[in-house]
Amino acid sequence: MIDSWTGSGSTEELVVGILREILGSLPGGTDLTPDDRLLDLGMTSFRLMQVLIALVRAFAVELPDSALRLETFESAGSIAAVVAR
């Protein structure tokens, strides 16, 4: 469950965990890395909304409007960088 992604671990590790849960099985059975392009792995607008909700819950953050850009959600690493600010 997405609410379980709180606690220990780096920001990037927690973001990767959230994305793994939301995206489910990846093409070819590959594992999600911080640099993988999420659009190439099946990220949709609906899943993106799920990611936003999970980030708010897991990190108790509110992303500013300026962060709500496609570039922010390009990869787990780019998401973690914005959340860590």
Side-chain angles (χ1 to χ4, degrees), residues 10-13 15-16 19 34-35 55 59 61 63-64 67 69 71-85:
S10 71
T11 300
E12 193 169 82
E13 290 170 333
V15 169
V16 167
L19 290 167
D35 298 320
L55 293 173
F59 296 101
V61 297
L63 297 179
R69 304 176 297 130
E71 294 81 19
T72 298
F73 299 95
E74 185 171 349
S75 67
S78 63
I79 294 170
V82 170
V83 169
R85 286 189 208 160

Side-chain angles (χ1 to χ4, degrees):
M1 180 171 199
I2 291 172
D3 290 332
S4 66
W5 290 106
T6 58
S8 63
S10 71
T11 300
E12 193 169 82
E13 290 170 333
L14 293 172
V15 169
V16 167
I18 289 168
L19 290 167
R20 282 184 185 136
E21 187 169 327
I22 291 171
L23 290 172
S25 298
L26 299 179
T30 59
D31 196 21
L32 180 67
T33 69
D35 298 320
D36 288 333
R37 288 182 36 87
L38 298 177
L39 289 176
D40 295 342
L41 299 175
M43 179 62 74
T44 63
S45 58
F46 178 74
R47 287 179 172 164
L48 180 57
M49 293 307 297
Q50 290 177 303
V51 170
L52 284 170
I53 292 166
L55 293 173
V56 169
R57 289 181 178 166
F59 296 101
V61 297
E62 184 174 320
L63 297 179
D65 290 344
S66 61
L68 301 179
R69 304 176 297 130
L70 187 56
E71 294 81 19
T72 298
F73 299 95
E74 185 171 349
S75 67
S78 63
I79 294 170
V82 170
V83 169
R85 286 189 208 160

